[in-house]
Amino acid sequence: MDNSRGFGTRAVHAGHIADDVFGAVMPPIYQSSTYAQTRPGEHRGHEYGRVSNPTRAALEAGLAALEGANHGIAFASGMAAADAILKCLRPGDHVLCSQDLYGGCYRLLTQVYEPLGVAASFVDMRNLDAVRQAVLPSTKLLWLESPGNPLMYVIDIPAVASLAQAHGADVVVDNTFATPFLQNPLAIGADLVLHSTTKYLGGHSDVIGGAVCTSRDDWAERLRFQIKCIGAVPGPMDCFLLLRGARTLHVRMERHCANARHLAAYLDAHAKVARVYYPGIRSDPGYMLARRQMSDFGGMISFCLHNNSMEAAMRVLSTTRIFTLAESLGGVESLIGHPASMTHASIPRDERIAMGLSDSLIRLSVGIEEAVDLEADLAGALSLA
């Protein structure tokens, strides 16, 4: 797909498979585990479903086009994609991570890979001096989310990439919150872009998936080797659903962002809200950087209450009528969650508090409903805080 075309055009048409038999407009679902060969090793592009599949190839081409990448590699989940990257490291290697990080990645690094000899440390990557001091001779990856989960920290990706390059390390950017509609990390210095395609790219809370996009041939080869050896791949139906979801990413993200800006302004002025974490608020420390680095501010908001009471937070979480109390994010419906006891429960409490993740922190995945209805729903819940 020609990357000079507009994002919406690429979203709708990238990954299209021409159906020469029936002329189907939508890509077919190739529900096959194996493919006929004319002679051993001679086939029409696919030989075994674990290694490759035509529907998966369509999804991978589509995702690569959206990220401006040469390669897209699809996985069974976002964590499977993260795991495949880390499997390319060796004992003695070090990963330097942003502090504002999904709890599942923290758990993977500290409970799975550290016992295998791959060390991880965590730093506030908004502070480049702190990053410089934390980089070790053994650092192979700088791993960051921007905006981060759940405090929405915005990190200067080009600056971190320049620092990593000077130390011979590569940069992984989890672009799940921003999506390729708002931000293209590969274009500003990243080596690998990670997605939980479960979220905004799928967009309908009905499929699990992950992906890595890169323009580095060496990384693509390593990751496809992981696919071949480990087999953590999405099924054809999953790939079809993800490709279908990605086709409307641009129109959904416009509404997600508009609704989030509306709610962030409402929460920022609310008497019971101590702080709103959203880079679209002018008082947010990441506001100016987000304006330079992103085309809009995203659909994720976190906020904490003035009384910092876990009990008050629970009352808010349990009394919304439109926002659903649930894990995950990025679907058309609005979700509300409590990071300390849900998405980030695997991080010890003292570490959560040290990084600013308070017991009353509430995270919103703002959907595409009517903004006035979402505001009214939060107003009713906050009246009980």
Side-chain angles (χ1 to χ4, degrees):
M1 178 54 121
D2 185 353
N3 284 337
S4 67
R5 293 176 177 171
F7 187 93
T9 303
R10 283 182 283 141
V12 171
H13 293 282
H16 176 74
I17 298 175
D19 179 7
D20 297 328
V21 179
F22 299 108
V25 173
M26 285 299 293
I29 303 169
Y30 289 87
Q31 194 70 44
S32 181
S33 62
T34 192
Y35 303 85
Q37 302 184 32
T38 53
R39 302 177 62 181
E42 292 184 5
H43 49 80
R44 284 171 284 183
H46 304 277
E47 54 185 328
Y48 189 61
R50 168 167 37 84
V51 180
S52 64
N53 170 281
T55 313
R56 193 163 88 226
L59 172 64
E60 292 174 335
L63 295 177
L66 296 186
E67 281 290 3
N70 292 339
H71 309 280
I73 303 99
F75 292 88
S77 68
M79 291 310 301
D83 181 60
I85 295 171
L86 294 172
K87 276 193 170 78
C88 296
L89 302 181
R90 294 295 176 263
D93 289 345
H94 172 248
V95 184
L96 181 60
C97 303
S98 57
Q99 200 174 49
D100 193 17
L101 187 75
Y102 170 52
C105 288
Y106 176 94
R107 179 176 56 222
L108 179 67
L109 286 157
T110 58
Q111 297 185 35
V112 176
Y113 279 94
E114 282 198 348
L116 298 176
V118 176
S121 55
F122 304 85
V123 66
D124 185 347
M125 283 195 179
R126 296 174 300 172
N127 184 339
L128 290 175
D129 287 336
V131 177
R132 289 189 189 92
Q133 293 172 15
V135 172
L136 305 173
S138 58
T139 301
K140 294 295 188 288
L141 293 175
L142 273 68
W143 191 297
L144 62 99
E145 299 177 9
S146 184
N149 185 3
L151 299 175
M152 312 303 155
Y153 289 169
V154 180
I155 296 169
D156 190 332
I157 295 172
V160 170
S162 178
L163 192 155
Q165 186 176 19
H167 287 82
D170 293 335
V171 174
V172 180
V173 176
D174 188 329
N175 205 30
T176 299
F177 275 23
T179 81
F181 181 62
L182 303 182
Q183 174 176 271
N184 294 120
L186 296 179
I188 51 177
D191 298 283
L192 299 166
V193 171
L194 171 68
H195 282 283
S196 172
T197 54
T198 307
K199 312 305 193 295
Y200 287 108
L201 283 161
H204 294 80
S205 301
D206 57 6
V207 63
I208 300 291
V212 179
C213 294
T214 183
S215 290
R216 292 266 302 269
D217 294 345
D218 57 337
W219 267 110
E221 183 178 351
R222 284 181 243 171
L223 292 170
R224 293 211 176 276
F225 180 76
Q226 295 295 333
I227 288 283
K228 183 175 183 178
C229 292
I230 307 301
V233 296
M237 186 65 185
D238 295 335
C239 293
F240 173 83
L241 290 171
L242 290 168
L243 190 54
R244 184 181 70 170
R247 287 184 163 197
T248 61
L249 177 65
H250 53 302
V251 290
R252 288 186 285 106
M253 287 306 298
E254 288 172 352
R255 184 61 173 263
H256 285 299
C257 291
N259 281 355
R261 291 194 304 270
H262 178 98
L263 293 183
Y266 166 74
L267 291 168
D268 195 41
H270 200 285
K272 292 188 177 181
V273 174
R275 179 174 176 182
V276 176
Y277 297 86
Y278 183 68
I281 294 176
R282 289 181 180 273
S283 59
D284 189 277
Y287 174 74
M288 293 305 298
L289 177 57
R291 284 195 61 181
R292 294 198 308 270
Q293 197 162 269
M294 302 169 66
S295 60
D296 209 326
F297 304 106
M300 299 298 298
I301 303 171
S302 290
F303 66 95
C304 54
L305 303 174
H306 264 303
N307 55 19
N308 195 29
S309 164
M310 174 82 82
E311 292 75 17
M314 291 300 166
R315 287 194 294 274
V316 172
L317 291 158
S318 62
T319 53
T320 55
R321 295 175 179 270
I322 298 176
F323 281 88
T324 300
L325 177 61
E327 298 270 2
S328 199
L329 59 104
V332 293
E333 68 290 323
S334 292
L335 303 180
I336 189 168
H338 185 243
S341 62
M342 296 171 73
T343 56
H344 291 68
S346 59
I347 302 176
R349 184 176 185 275
D350 58 342
E351 293 184 31
R352 292 200 308 267
I353 297 300
M355 66 181 282
L357 203 165
S358 70
D359 288 338
S360 76
L361 188 77
I362 293 170
R363 193 189 75 176
L364 305 177
S365 173
V366 180
I368 65 171
E369 304 95 338
E370 296 296 332
V372 291
D373 294 330
L374 295 175
E375 179 184 323
D377 194 33
L378 290 177
L382 285 167
S383 69
L384 303 175

